[in-house]
PDB file of all heavy atoms in Angstrom:
ATOM      1  N   ARG A   1      14.246   0.029  -0.301  1.00 92.00           N
ATOM      2  CA  ARG A   1      13.551   0.447   0.910  1.00 92.00           C
ATOM      3  C   ARG A   1      12.973   1.854   0.749  1.00 92.00           C
ATOM      4  O   ARG A   1      11.812   2.117   1.067  1.00 92.00           O
ATOM      5  CB  ARG A   1      14.495   0.381   2.113  1.00 92.00           C
ATOM      6  CG  ARG A   1      13.828   0.711   3.448  1.00 92.00           C
ATOM      7  CD  ARG A   1      14.856   0.709   4.558  1.00 92.00           C
ATOM      8  NE  ARG A   1      15.466  -0.610   4.709  1.00 92.00           N
ATOM      9  CZ  ARG A   1      14.930  -1.597   5.449  1.00 92.00           C
ATOM     10  NH1 ARG A   1      13.798  -1.415   6.084  1.00 92.00           N
ATOM     11  NH2 ARG A   1      15.549  -2.754   5.539  1.00 92.00           N
ATOM     12  N   GLN A   2      13.812   2.762   0.230  1.00 95.00           N
ATOM     13  CA  GLN A   2      13.353   4.139   0.028  1.00 95.00           C
ATOM     14  C   GLN A   2      12.247   4.188  -1.031  1.00 95.00           C
ATOM     15  O   GLN A   2      11.262   4.925  -0.897  1.00 95.00           O
ATOM     16  CB  GLN A   2      14.543   5.009  -0.386  1.00 95.00           C
ATOM     17  CG  GLN A   2      14.173   6.381  -0.947  1.00 95.00           C
ATOM     18  CD  GLN A   2      14.043   6.359  -2.469  1.00 95.00           C
ATOM     19  OE1 GLN A   2      14.667   5.534  -3.140  1.00 95.00           O
ATOM     20  NE2 GLN A   2      13.208   7.242  -3.005  1.00 95.00           N
ATOM     21  N   TYR A   3      12.391   3.390  -2.082  1.00 94.00           N
ATOM     22  CA  TYR A   3      11.407   3.392  -3.167  1.00 94.00           C
ATOM     23  C   TYR A   3      10.043   2.926  -2.665  1.00 94.00           C
ATOM     24  O   TYR A   3       9.007   3.541  -2.966  1.00 94.00           O
ATOM     25  CB  TYR A   3      11.903   2.494  -4.298  1.00 94.00           C
ATOM     26  CG  TYR A   3      10.908   2.335  -5.427  1.00 94.00           C
ATOM     27  CD1 TYR A   3      10.779   3.305  -6.412  1.00 94.00           C
ATOM     28  CD2 TYR A   3      10.088   1.204  -5.487  1.00 94.00           C
ATOM     29  CE1 TYR A   3       9.863   3.165  -7.447  1.00 94.00           C
ATOM     30  CE2 TYR A   3       9.167   1.055  -6.512  1.00 94.00           C
ATOM     31  CZ  TYR A   3       9.056   2.032  -7.487  1.00 94.00           C
ATOM     32  OH  TYR A   3       8.142   1.894  -8.499  1.00 94.00           O
ATOM     33  N   LEU A   4      10.018   1.846  -1.881  1.00 94.00           N
ATOM     34  CA  LEU A   4       8.752   1.337  -1.361  1.00 94.00           C
ATOM     35  C   LEU A   4       8.106   2.331  -0.402  1.00 94.00           C
ATOM     36  O   LEU A   4       6.882   2.540  -0.427  1.00 94.00           O
ATOM     37  CB  LEU A   4       8.969  -0.004  -0.659  1.00 94.00           C
ATOM     38  CG  LEU A   4       9.225  -1.203  -1.572  1.00 94.00           C
ATOM     39  CD1 LEU A   4       9.531  -2.446  -0.737  1.00 94.00           C
ATOM     40  CD2 LEU A   4       8.029  -1.460  -2.477  1.00 94.00           C
ATOM     41  N   ALA A   5       8.911   2.950   0.445  1.00 93.00           N
ATOM     42  CA  ALA A   5       8.363   3.936   1.376  1.00 93.00           C
ATOM     43  C   ALA A   5       7.696   5.076   0.612  1.00 93.00           C
ATOM     44  O   ALA A   5       6.616   5.549   0.977  1.00 93.00           O
ATOM     45  CB  ALA A   5       9.470   4.462   2.282  1.00 93.00           C
ATOM     46  N   ALA A   6       8.347   5.526  -0.473  1.00 95.00           N
ATOM     47  CA  ALA A   6       7.780   6.605  -1.273  1.00 95.00           C
ATOM     48  C   ALA A   6       6.511   6.159  -1.979  1.00 95.00           C
ATOM     49  O   ALA A   6       5.521   6.902  -2.058  1.00 95.00           O
ATOM     50  CB  ALA A   6       8.813   7.088  -2.292  1.00 95.00           C
ATOM     51  N   ALA A   7       6.514   4.930  -2.493  1.00 94.00           N
ATOM     52  CA  ALA A   7       5.339   4.418  -3.200  1.00 94.00           C
ATOM     53  C   ALA A   7       4.141   4.299  -2.263  1.00 94.00           C
ATOM     54  O   ALA A   7       3.015   4.680  -2.601  1.00 94.00           O
ATOM     55  CB  ALA A   7       5.671   3.064  -3.828  1.00 94.00           C
ATOM     56  N   PHE A   8       4.365   3.761  -1.067  1.00 95.00           N
ATOM     57  CA  PHE A   8       3.271   3.604  -0.110  1.00 95.00           C
ATOM     58  C   PHE A   8       2.787   4.957   0.418  1.00 95.00           C
ATOM     59  O   PHE A   8       1.676   5.065   0.935  1.00 95.00           O
ATOM     60  CB  PHE A   8       3.702   2.719   1.060  1.00 95.00           C
ATOM     61  CG  PHE A   8       3.534   1.249   0.799  1.00 95.00           C
ATOM     62  CD1 PHE A   8       4.643   0.459   0.497  1.00 95.00           C
ATOM     63  CD2 PHE A   8       2.294   0.646   0.859  1.00 95.00           C
ATOM     64  CE1 PHE A   8       4.494  -0.899   0.256  1.00 95.00           C
ATOM     65  CE2 PHE A   8       2.141  -0.711   0.620  1.00 95.00           C
ATOM     66  CZ  PHE A   8       3.244  -1.490   0.312  1.00 95.00           C
ATOM     67  N   ALA A   9       3.608   5.999   0.315  1.00 94.00           N
ATOM     68  CA  ALA A   9       3.211   7.319   0.801  1.00 94.00           C
ATOM     69  C   ALA A   9       2.250   8.025  -0.143  1.00 94.00           C
ATOM     70  O   ALA A   9       1.578   8.981   0.258  1.00 94.00           O
ATOM     71  CB  ALA A   9       4.450   8.187   1.018  1.00 94.00           C
ATOM     72  N   VAL A  10       2.157   7.565  -1.395  1.00 96.00           N
ATOM     73  CA  VAL A  10       1.205   8.152  -2.348  1.00 96.00           C
ATOM     74  C   VAL A  10      -0.207   7.814  -1.874  1.00 96.00           C
ATOM     75  O   VAL A  10      -0.528   6.634  -1.681  1.00 96.00           O
ATOM     76  CB  VAL A  10       1.449   7.604  -3.761  1.00 96.00           C
ATOM     77  CG1 VAL A  10       0.390   8.126  -4.734  1.00 96.00           C
ATOM     78  CG2 VAL A  10       2.847   7.970  -4.234  1.00 96.00           C
ATOM     79  N   PRO A  11      -1.075   8.797  -1.666  1.00 96.00           N
ATOM     80  CA  PRO A  11      -2.410   8.530  -1.099  1.00 96.00           C
ATOM     81  C   PRO A  11      -3.192   7.444  -1.832  1.00 96.00           C
ATOM     82  O   PRO A  11      -3.824   6.594  -1.185  1.00 96.00           O
ATOM     83  CB  PRO A  11      -3.102   9.899  -1.195  1.00 96.00           C
ATOM     84  CG  PRO A  11      -1.978  10.883  -1.084  1.00 96.00           C
ATOM     85  CD  PRO A  11      -0.836  10.257  -1.826  1.00 96.00           C
ATOM     86  N   ALA A  12      -3.167   7.444  -3.160  1.00 97.00           N
ATOM     87  CA  ALA A  12      -3.916   6.418  -3.898  1.00 97.00           C
ATOM     88  C   ALA A  12      -3.350   5.026  -3.625  1.00 97.00           C
ATOM     89  O   ALA A  12      -4.105   4.051  -3.492  1.00 97.00           O
ATOM     90  CB  ALA A  12      -3.874   6.723  -5.392  1.00 97.00           C
ATOM     91  N   ASN A  13      -2.039   4.929  -3.551  1.00 96.00           N
ATOM     92  CA  ASN A  13      -1.415   3.640  -3.257  1.00 96.00           C
ATOM     93  C   ASN A  13      -1.737   3.190  -1.838  1.00 96.00           C
ATOM     94  O   ASN A  13      -1.969   1.999  -1.579  1.00 96.00           O
ATOM     95  CB  ASN A  13       0.098   3.727  -3.432  1.00 96.00           C
ATOM     96  CG  ASN A  13       0.489   3.893  -4.889  1.00 96.00           C
ATOM     97  OD1 ASN A  13      -0.330   3.688  -5.780  1.00 96.00           O
ATOM     98  ND2 ASN A  13       1.736   4.285  -5.128  1.00 96.00           N
ATOM     99  N   ARG A  14      -1.716   4.139  -0.907  1.00 96.00           N
ATOM    100  CA  ARG A  14      -2.015   3.810   0.487  1.00 96.00           C
ATOM    101  C   ARG A  14      -3.440   3.285   0.609  1.00 96.00           C
ATOM    102  O   ARG A  14      -3.696   2.281   1.269  1.00 96.00           O
ATOM    103  CB  ARG A  14      -1.814   5.073   1.349  1.00 96.00           C
ATOM    104  CG  ARG A  14      -2.377   5.076   2.753  1.00 96.00           C
ATOM    105  CD  ARG A  14      -2.035   3.873   3.592  1.00 96.00           C
ATOM    106  NE  ARG A  14      -0.636   3.510   3.496  1.00 96.00           N
ATOM    107  CZ  ARG A  14      -0.200   2.268   3.580  1.00 96.00           C
ATOM    108  NH1 ARG A  14      -1.059   1.260   3.739  1.00 96.00           N
ATOM    109  NH2 ARG A  14       1.088   2.008   3.505  1.00 96.00           N
ATOM    110  N   ALA A  15      -4.398   3.936  -0.055  1.00 96.00           N
ATOM    111  CA  ALA A  15      -5.792   3.486  -0.006  1.00 96.00           C
ATOM    112  C   ALA A  15      -5.929   2.101  -0.628  1.00 96.00           C
ATOM    113  O   ALA A  15      -6.655   1.232  -0.104  1.00 96.00           O
ATOM    114  CB  ALA A  15      -6.695   4.487  -0.725  1.00 96.00           C
ATOM    115  N   ARG A  16      -5.225   1.883  -1.740  1.00 95.00           N
ATOM    116  CA  ARG A  16      -5.287   0.581  -2.405  1.00 95.00           C
ATOM    117  C   ARG A  16      -4.683  -0.513  -1.521  1.00 95.00           C
ATOM    118  O   ARG A  16      -5.221  -1.609  -1.425  1.00 95.00           O
ATOM    119  CB  ARG A  16      -4.538   0.657  -3.742  1.00 95.00           C
ATOM    120  CG  ARG A  16      -4.455  -0.653  -4.500  1.00 95.00           C
ATOM    121  CD  ARG A  16      -5.814  -1.151  -4.916  1.00 95.00           C
ATOM    122  NE  ARG A  16      -5.693  -2.373  -5.707  1.00 95.00           N
ATOM    123  CZ  ARG A  16      -6.626  -3.315  -5.752  1.00 95.00           C
ATOM    124  NH1 ARG A  16      -7.740  -3.170  -5.059  1.00 95.00           N
ATOM    125  NH2 ARG A  16      -6.464  -4.383  -6.488  1.00 95.00           N
ATOM    126  N   ALA A  17      -3.563  -0.211  -0.879  1.00 96.00           N
ATOM    127  CA  ALA A  17      -2.917  -1.194  -0.008  1.00 96.00           C
ATOM    128  C   ALA A  17      -3.839  -1.595   1.137  1.00 96.00           C
ATOM    129  O   ALA A  17      -3.948  -2.782   1.484  1.00 96.00           O
ATOM    130  CB  ALA A  17      -1.607  -0.630   0.545  1.00 96.00           C
ATOM    131  N   GLU A  18      -4.521  -0.639   1.721  1.00 97.00           N
ATOM    132  CA  GLU A  18      -5.431  -0.941   2.828  1.00 97.00           C
ATOM    133  C   GLU A  18      -6.618  -1.771   2.347  1.00 97.00           C
ATOM    134  O   GLU A  18      -7.068  -2.684   3.045  1.00 97.00           O
ATOM    135  CB  GLU A  18      -5.892   0.351   3.489  1.00 97.00           C
ATOM    136  CG  GLU A  18      -4.765   1.068   4.226  1.00 97.00           C
ATOM    137  CD  GLU A  18      -5.180   2.402   4.810  1.00 97.00           C
ATOM    138  OE1 GLU A  18      -6.355   2.809   4.613  1.00 97.00           O
ATOM    139  OE2 GLU A  18      -4.330   3.051   5.464  1.00 97.00           O
ATOM    140  N   ALA A  19      -7.118  -1.455   1.139  1.00 96.00           N
ATOM    141  CA  ALA A  19      -8.235  -2.223   0.590  1.00 96.00           C
ATOM    142  C   ALA A  19      -7.824  -3.657   0.283  1.00 96.00           C
ATOM    143  O   ALA A  19      -8.556  -4.610   0.574  1.00 96.00           O
ATOM    144  CB  ALA A  19      -8.770  -1.544  -0.671  1.00 96.00           C
ATOM    145  N   VAL A  20      -6.635  -3.829  -0.277  1.00 97.00           N
ATOM    146  CA  VAL A  20      -6.151  -5.181  -0.599  1.00 97.00           C
ATOM    147  C   VAL A  20      -5.928  -5.977   0.685  1.00 97.00           C
ATOM    148  O   VAL A  20      -6.281  -7.170   0.754  1.00 97.00           O
ATOM    149  CB  VAL A  20      -4.860  -5.110  -1.440  1.00 97.00           C
ATOM    150  CG1 VAL A  20      -4.232  -6.498  -1.567  1.00 97.00           C
ATOM    151  CG2 VAL A  20      -5.161  -4.550  -2.821  1.00 97.00           C
ATOM    152  N   PHE A  21      -5.347  -5.344   1.687  1.00 97.00           N
ATOM    153  CA  PHE A  21      -5.146  -6.049   2.957  1.00 97.00           C
ATOM    154  C   PHE A  21      -6.466  -6.561   3.510  1.00 97.00           C
ATOM    155  O   PHE A  21      -6.571  -7.713   3.949  1.00 97.00           O
ATOM    156  CB  PHE A  21      -4.483  -5.129   3.976  1.00 97.00           C
ATOM    157  CG  PHE A  21      -4.479  -5.674   5.376  1.00 97.00           C
ATOM    158  CD1 PHE A  21      -3.660  -6.745   5.715  1.00 97.00           C
ATOM    159  CD2 PHE A  21      -5.316  -5.149   6.351  1.00 97.00           C
ATOM    160  CE1 PHE A  21      -3.670  -7.276   6.994  1.00 97.00           C
ATOM    161  CE2 PHE A  21      -5.327  -5.666   7.639  1.00 97.00           C
ATOM    162  CZ  PHE A  21      -4.507  -6.737   7.959  1.00 97.00           C
ATOM    163  N   ALA A  22      -7.504  -5.728   3.479  1.00 97.00           N
ATOM    164  CA  ALA A  22      -8.805  -6.140   4.004  1.00 97.00           C
ATOM    165  C   ALA A  22      -9.386  -7.288   3.187  1.00 97.00           C
ATOM    166  O   ALA A  22      -9.959  -8.239   3.741  1.00 97.00           O
ATOM    167  CB  ALA A  22      -9.765  -4.954   4.016  1.00 97.00           C
ATOM    168  N   GLU A  23      -9.229  -7.230   1.856  1.00 96.00           N
ATOM    169  CA  GLU A  23      -9.736  -8.298   0.993  1.00 96.00           C
ATOM    170  C   GLU A  23      -9.026  -9.620   1.270  1.00 96.00           C
ATOM    171  O   GLU A  23      -9.656 -10.694   1.333  1.00 96.00           O
ATOM    172  CB  GLU A  23      -9.561  -7.907  -0.472  1.00 96.00           C
ATOM    173  CG  GLU A  23     -10.476  -6.782  -0.924  1.00 96.00           C
ATOM    174  CD  GLU A  23     -10.140  -6.299  -2.324  1.00 96.00           C
ATOM    175  OE1 GLU A  23      -9.280  -6.944  -2.979  1.00 96.00           O
ATOM    176  OE2 GLU A  23     -10.715  -5.294  -2.757  1.00 96.00           O
ATOM    177  N   LEU A  24      -7.713  -9.560   1.428  1.00 97.00           N
ATOM    178  CA  LEU A  24      -6.950 -10.781   1.671  1.00 97.00           C
ATOM    179  C   LEU A  24      -7.244 -11.338   3.062  1.00 97.00           C
ATOM    180  O   LEU A  24      -7.290 -12.562   3.250  1.00 97.00           O
ATOM    181  CB  LEU A  24      -5.459 -10.511   1.509  1.00 97.00           C
ATOM    182  CG  LEU A  24      -5.003 -10.101   0.109  1.00 97.00           C
ATOM    183  CD1 LEU A  24      -3.497  -9.919   0.071  1.00 97.00           C
ATOM    184  CD2 LEU A  24      -5.460 -11.102  -0.939  1.00 97.00           C
ATOM    185  N   ALA A  25      -7.452 -10.460   4.031  1.00 97.00           N
ATOM    186  CA  ALA A  25      -7.825 -10.924   5.370  1.00 97.00           C
ATOM    187  C   ALA A  25      -9.145 -11.674   5.315  1.00 97.00           C
ATOM    188  O   ALA A  25      -9.313 -12.737   5.938  1.00 97.00           O
ATOM    189  CB  ALA A  25      -7.909  -9.746   6.329  1.00 97.00           C
ATOM    190  N   ALA A  26     -10.106 -11.151   4.540  1.00 98.00           N
ATOM    191  CA  ALA A  26     -11.394 -11.823   4.396  1.00 98.00           C
ATOM    192  C   ALA A  26     -11.233 -13.163   3.679  1.00 98.00           C
ATOM    193  O   ALA A  26     -11.883 -14.157   4.036  1.00 98.00           O
ATOM    194  CB  ALA A  26     -12.361 -10.930   3.634  1.00 98.00           C
TER     195      ALA A  26
END
């Protein structure tokens, strides 16, 4: 849980996660 929270907090990872979410939604 702590590891994932830290990983998602990295700005590049956060931007990538948001981009992937949008792609999968489409």
Side-chain angles (χ1 to χ4, degrees):
R1 184 184 298 275
Q2 166 267 333
Y3 175 81
L4 286 176
F8 274 103
V10 175
N13 291 346
R14 165 49 45 212
R16 177 64 177 151
E18 292 176 358
V20 170
F21 169 71
E23 290 172 7
L24 296 182

